[in-house]
Amino acid sequence: MTLNVALAMPSHTARAVFPPRSLDPLEPALTLLSRDPIQDFTTAEGRAVLAEADILITGWGCPMIDHTVLDAAPRLRYVLHAAGSVKHHIGDACWERGIQVSSAADANAIPVAEYTVAMIILANKRVLQIARALHTTRTDVLAEQLFPDMGNYRKRVGIIGASKIGRHVIRLLAPYELEVVVADPYLSPEEAAVLGVGLVSLEELVSGSDVVSLHAPSLPSTRNLMDAGLIERMQRGTTFINTSRGELVDQDALLARIERGDLYAVLDVTTPWVLPAESRFYTHPNVLLTPHVAGSLGNELERMAASAVNEALRLSRGETLRFPVRLEDLAFTA
């Protein structure tokens, strides 16, 4: 029997993530009930589609899927999320009723990793600082006199968190002649060996790395993970990169260290999401701020659509999900 597929997300999300061509591969292997997404599970139109759906493809802003929704969806067996975290719309009822859940978090991790690797290479080459000097002096800049340690050869890069993003960063750094070390309490020495990285303590990582890149999930246990003590441990000239979440960092301590002039920072995320206009992070020359652009944007969104569509096609062939989300994983993932 052909499985029926429905979309559930705000219309603006569907337009951004699912251009018409992205849904074409679903048919004829599956039946797409409508190209218009369910935006409200309580409407008569939404419930009519729910009643026929075997697979629900969700996106950012999908309403919570709880007992009431599942009661209206007797055929539903799979929820395929075309984004990262499922914590905001997968209710306890889904796990209790055995609904299988998938996420495009791996697809969303790729552009974050690409951004991170670009910043690592630029940081070790001191490109941002040298460019600022050139813009300021508007004359010949003797780069090696300013930064005699510039370059990527055999520099140490510290990755905090062997998450999906962290692992993609490790993979993308493999062609470079860098030493990569990782701090992650859930990573075993055997897994680290397979990844080709050194496994070190968080304290050793921050005190001995030329670049420190944060890729841990935002959990109650990781709030202020990078506290004042760890920030103080970073060696002179280190670049700190955060593409995770601002709440993982003691931002006051980070700014105080930066204002001493011996630490650099690349911050794609902060707390709050948009800093107050008077924040000194905007004006300090050792800081590069970007407005959360590391994640999937523009044409990168279609990669997440393709991930969800491919999961649906796997189901149509009787195969298992490639990127399953399990309840037990949610305690230590974003």
Side-chain angles (χ1 to χ4, degrees):
M1 182 179 70
T2 302
L3 298 173
N4 295 335
V5 181
L7 307 179
M9 65 197 76
S11 58
H12 64 84
T13 300
R15 287 193 299 271
V17 180
F18 289 93
R21 64 180 179 274
S22 68
L23 295 170
D24 291 343
L26 288 171
E27 298 176 310
L30 300 129
T31 299
L32 181 59
L33 295 172
S34 174
R35 287 180 179 257
D36 295 323
I38 303 171
Q39 301 184 68
D40 185 344
F41 290 133
T42 67
T43 64
E45 295 83 357
R47 288 184 173 269
V49 176
L50 273 177
E52 299 299 321
D54 302 291
I55 300 171
L56 204 57
I57 296 180
T58 60
W60 288 309
C62 175
M64 178 62 67
I65 303 173
D66 55 17
H67 283 288
T68 303
V69 174
L70 293 180
D71 287 344
R75 296 175 51 154
L76 188 65
R77 295 164 53 198
Y78 307 97
V79 177
L80 314 178
H81 191 43
S85 176
V86 302
K87 292 181 179 180
H88 304 295
H89 71 289
I90 298 295
D92 291 341
C94 292
W95 307 112
E96 292 167 4
R97 300 196 188 187
I99 302 297
Q100 293 189 48
V101 180
S102 171
S103 166
D106 191 78
N108 192 43
I110 293 173
V112 183
E114 292 171 342
Y115 171 103
T116 301
V117 169
M119 293 303 170
I120 289 170
I121 300 306
L122 292 176
N124 280 330
K125 195 73 171 178
R126 303 298 189 190
V127 168
L128 301 178
Q129 291 77 35
I130 292 166
R132 184 172 287 113
L134 182 59
H135 280 268
T136 301
T137 63
R138 303 187 183 188
T139 187
D140 187 27
V141 172
L142 300 177
E144 286 183 287
Q145 289 187 13
L146 289 174
F147 299 103
D149 68 336
M150 63 183 292
N152 281 281
Y153 182 58
R154 292 186 176 177
K155 288 289 180 68
R156 174 180 272 203
V157 176
I159 306 297
I160 302 176
S163 58
K164 290 181 184 294
I165 296 170
R167 290 170 187 250
H168 277 300
V169 171
I170 292 166
R171 174 179 60 83
L172 293 174
L173 287 176
Y176 298 93
E177 293 184 82
L178 293 161
E179 179 189 1
V180 180
V181 295
V182 176
D184 188 319
Y186 299 103
L187 185 69
S188 70
E190 293 75 20
E191 289 176 303
V194 171
L195 291 172
V197 299
L199 183 61
V200 298
S201 69
L202 185 53
E203 290 76 13
E204 181 181 347
L205 184 148
V206 298
S207 63
S209 297
D210 299 288
V211 177
V212 173
S213 192
L214 182 57
H215 302 289
S218 180
L219 304 168
S221 60
T222 60
R223 185 173 295 274
N224 272 359
L225 174 67
M226 286 295 295
D227 60 18
L230 289 175
I231 290 168
E232 188 61 30
R233 279 176 173 266
M234 285 192 278
Q235 60 190 6
R236 292 176 56 85
T238 296
T239 298
F240 174 68
I241 300 174
N242 189 7
T243 58
S244 179
R245 286 292 183 268
E247 61 266 23
L248 273 66
V249 181
D250 183 334
Q251 289 187 164
D252 291 338
L254 178 62
L255 182 59
R257 177 68 195 275
I258 288 168
E259 289 186 325
R260 281 165 39 192
D262 66 351
L263 190 75
Y264 304 98
V266 176
L267 305 176
D268 189 54
V269 287
T270 55
T271 299
W273 206 249
V274 179
L275 291 169
E278 65 274 13
S279 172
R280 297 193 300 280
F281 280 114
Y282 286 121
T283 55
H284 200 284
N286 286 15
V287 178
L288 174 67
L289 282 177
T290 55
H292 196 49
V293 299
S296 296
L297 293 172
N299 66 7
E300 294 164 339
L301 296 171
E302 200 169 341
R303 182 189 282 120
M304 294 192 297
S307 177
V309 166
N310 287 336
E311 289 283 63
L313 291 173
R314 289 176 66 88
L315 297 175
S316 74
R317 298 190 295 266
E319 300 172 9
T320 58
L321 294 171
R322 184 180 178 192
F323 299 110
V325 178
R326 299 179 179 87
L327 177 61
E328 57 268 26
D329 296 336
L330 297 184
F332 54 89
T333 58

